[in-house]
Amino acid sequence: MRRAREAKHEIARRAARILEEGRACDVDAAVDRALHESGLGDRAPRPSRAMLRAHAQGAEEERDGAEARRLRIAATLEEACEVLAVLEQAVLFEDPEGDLRAVPEVYGRAARGHFDLDAIVHVRVTTAASAARIARHLADAGLGEPECRSLRTRYGVLDQIVLPAPHAEHRILRIPPRMKVDPDRDVVRADRVEHASFSEVSELLGRFPTS
């Protein structure tokens, strides 16, 4: 039992370092690479996300300090608020029934301000406006150069806007108004998922004062 726990911590340390160095595209790929480099093989126990986050947090605070990490999280939350605000404005401008749509929300770990592994913010926006029109508003707001892609979900293939912004990559899923999507479930695995509106993200940001 002790040996397995030590192995998990070793893999977590390696994976966090691999992500920091940009040698993997996501967390799962970083763990796979850490397993390979450690020589433990695919049968070795995989660390939990909580363990990975703890090692990533520890490495960042050791390198940059706790204050720098706090400021990074605050900046990322502030950026998420900007994205949500632009999305809401875009829906009101582009969608004839925009005032009837649910407000855009942040989903997953970002709803709790967890950006210690991969700084990715998942967002859902319900609108009849095309992904291209929504993406144009994000670009015009100076948030980055978005790319329109697609994501295969349990509801079918949906439009996804990928926005690489300064502090995080925002993956914005466009939900057609007539599609009945459970707001409390992951669209791929159907697991329960947290989500937060602009006001809730703003409240979370208030816990990370920048001055």
Side-chain angles (χ1 to χ4, degrees):
M1 184 70 70
R2 181 178 178 181
R3 183 172 298 179
R5 186 168 61 250
E6 291 175 349
K8 284 184 180 180
H9 279 288
E10 173 61 23
I11 295 303
R13 278 192 293 270
R14 286 177 178 266
R17 186 167 62 250
I18 288 168
L19 276 174
E20 180 186 351
E21 295 171 352
R23 294 192 290 127
C25 60
D26 56 33
V27 176
D28 289 334
V31 173
D32 289 341
R33 184 156 190 166
L35 285 166
H36 175 74
E37 292 183 358
S38 68
L40 295 176
D42 296 336
R43 295 183 179 180
R46 298 176 74 89
S48 66
R49 289 295 177 110
M51 186 180 291
L52 286 161
R53 281 196 301 270
H55 280 284
Q57 176 181 338
E60 181 179 6
E61 291 185 352
E62 182 178 354
R63 183 183 68 249
D64 302 325
E67 177 68 5
R69 174 179 173 271
R70 185 181 64 79
L71 290 173
R72 178 183 65 81
I73 293 174
T76 308
L77 288 169
E78 187 172 7
E79 184 177 271
C81 284
E82 292 179 19
V83 170
L84 289 174
V86 171
L87 289 174
E88 187 167 2
Q89 292 170 1
V91 171
L92 290 171
F93 186 83
E94 298 288 352
D95 191 329
E97 298 184 10
D99 58 335
L100 301 178
R101 308 304 185 203
V103 296
E105 290 190 319
V106 164
Y107 272 74
R109 292 179 294 108
R112 288 180 287 160
H114 287 177
F115 307 111
D116 288 312
L117 286 172
D118 45 354
I120 295 175
V121 178
H122 293 276
V123 181
R124 293 186 197 177
V125 57
T126 300
T127 182
S130 69
R133 286 185 175 274
I134 298 298
R136 176 45 51 194
H137 282 263
L138 293 166
D140 290 345
L143 292 171
E145 289 299 324
E147 179 183 350
C148 293
R149 302 179 186 174
S150 61
L151 179 69
R152 186 173 298 279
T153 74
R154 62 194 183 99
Y155 300 99
V157 178
L158 298 179
D159 294 328
Q160 185 182 56
I161 303 166
V162 178
L163 175 69
H167 297 289
E169 180 177 280
H170 301 261
R171 298 180 183 178
I172 303 157
L173 196 64
R174 175 186 168 274
I175 308 295
R178 294 184 180 180
M179 181 175 287
K180 303 300 182 183
V181 173
D182 188 339
D184 299 319
R185 296 284 179 179
D186 185 278
V187 295
V188 176
R189 298 181 300 275
D191 298 334
R192 292 197 67 83
V193 63
E194 296 179 79
H195 48 99
S197 64
F198 176 91
S199 60
E200 290 167 328
V201 177
S202 296
E203 182 180 350
L204 181 58
L205 175 58
R207 303 174 194 172
F208 295 88
T210 57
S211 61

